[in-house]
Amino acid sequence: MSAKLRLLVFVLPLALTACEWFSDFKRQPSLWTWEPVKDSLTPSRGQPQMSVPTSGTAVAGFQVSYGAFPATIDSMAGLRNPTPASDSSLANGRKYFQINCAVCHGDRAMGDGPATRFGMPGINLTSDVTKARADGYIFGMIRNGRGLMPPYNRIEEMDRWDVVNYVRALQGVGGKTVAIGPLAAPGVTGDKVPGATTLAPQQPEPFYNPRSVLPGAQQSQPQPPQVAPVGSVPGQRALPLPAASDTSRSRPDSAVRTRPNR
């Protein structure tokens, strides 16, 4: 084999697999939201000032997969149930159980729901096997689904814990007595159906500079947004102002152009 042919055999695979040479408006280098930069020297960008909160009460999608796999569900078995089994929690859990779960599992969670008349296998949630499951495991089954169980992410996170509490009560765990059956006749709305979402941002999220995690960078705590005092100007409402360290909304004096008088 000649020297040129050996060089071609060595270089050609590298050239075809190293990078994409051509891009257009449909295929172009970009980063998805919160995607880590592949360069080890460039961390992910932080959330913008006043953005949606990134914190949660259980686990985020990037921490635990949404895959419907046994190992994934097992990884959530250690989650602590943050919601006490109060009367309000059990009442809310009953509502979501009736809307989403009773069709297969039945009103008493014994696997005799109306869907079983059409070939759906009955899954009994009051068996000793399910009783031995952790609250986090049942939460993960609602969140991810598995096998014949579809994911029920339309049930918001805190409402899922209410469903867990209600299932525990149907199992006879905790000594709670709960009402069983539909809340109302079909078509009744109001408080008998889910209300507004609670996942919307409730408070501003501070800005964390992603470069602060680099070696040698000075660590600084995010500054909360300042609020103009109410009544400082007649008819003025309280409006959030940029923090002292936030210069993204201001320009240096050199960038301000003035128009000469004529």
Side-chain angles (χ1 to χ4, degrees):
M1 183 182 295
S2 63
K4 291 184 177 180
L5 184 58
R6 288 198 300 269
L7 180 61
L8 181 62
V9 171
F10 178 75
V11 174
L12 185 60
L14 296 178
L16 294 177
T17 60
C19 61
E20 184 178 359
W21 288 10
F22 303 100
S23 63
D24 51 30
F25 285 108
K26 181 182 294 185
R27 299 180 302 113
Q28 56 181 314
S30 62
L31 287 177
W32 292 91
T33 306
W34 315 130
E35 178 185 358
V37 182
K38 302 304 185 292
D39 185 0
S40 60
L41 298 179
T42 306
S44 295
R45 64 188 180 94
Q47 63 269 26
Q49 183 81 346
M50 310 294 288
S51 66
V52 176
T54 59
S55 57
T57 59
V59 286
F62 62 84
Q63 292 175 301
V64 176
S65 169
Y66 278 88
F69 306 110
T72 307
I73 309 299
D74 290 338
S75 67
M76 285 182 278
L79 293 177
R80 182 185 63 85
N81 188 342
T83 305
S86 61
D87 293 340
S88 60
S89 172
L90 295 174
N92 192 47
R94 176 194 174 193
K95 175 173 64 178
Y96 281 93
F97 184 89
Q98 281 295 321
I99 294 173
N100 301 280
C101 314
V103 63
C104 293
H105 297 291
D107 292 341
R108 300 177 181 269
M110 299 182 67
D112 56 352
T116 58
R117 299 197 298 264
F118 302 94
M120 178 68 186
I123 307 298
N124 189 350
L125 299 181
T126 62
S127 63
D128 293 337
V129 175
T130 308
K131 287 182 181 179
R133 300 291 190 187
D135 286 358
Y137 183 93
I138 301 176
F139 176 92
M141 285 291 294
I142 300 173
R143 176 182 185 266
N144 288 32
R146 200 189 77 187
L148 297 176
M149 171 74 173
Y152 279 91
N153 268 320
R154 64 185 181 185
I155 305 177
E156 296 191 0
E157 184 175 294
M158 298 309 298
D159 296 320
R160 291 177 219 158
W161 291 116
D162 293 333
V163 175
V164 172
N165 290 336
Y166 184 75
V167 171
R168 290 302 194 200
L170 293 177
Q171 294 173 345
V173 178
K176 291 281 188 177
T177 302
V178 292
I180 297 173
L183 277 72
V188 177
T189 58
D191 60 349
K192 304 302 185 292
V193 296
T197 178
T198 59
L199 298 181
Q202 302 295 322
Q203 59 184 2
E205 183 73 4
F207 171 73
Y208 290 88
N209 188 345
R211 296 193 174 276
S212 62
V213 302
L214 295 177
Q218 295 182 356
Q219 299 294 332
S220 60
Q221 296 295 330
Q223 299 294 328
Q226 300 176 359
V227 178
V230 180
S232 58
V233 178
Q236 182 186 32
R237 296 185 303 170
L239 298 175
L241 300 177
S245 59
D246 184 10
T247 59
S248 60
R249 300 182 183 179
S250 61
R251 294 185 298 174
D253 295 339
S254 60
V256 179
R257 297 183 179 181
T258 59
R259 187 174 182 179
N261 296 327
R262 294 183 179 179

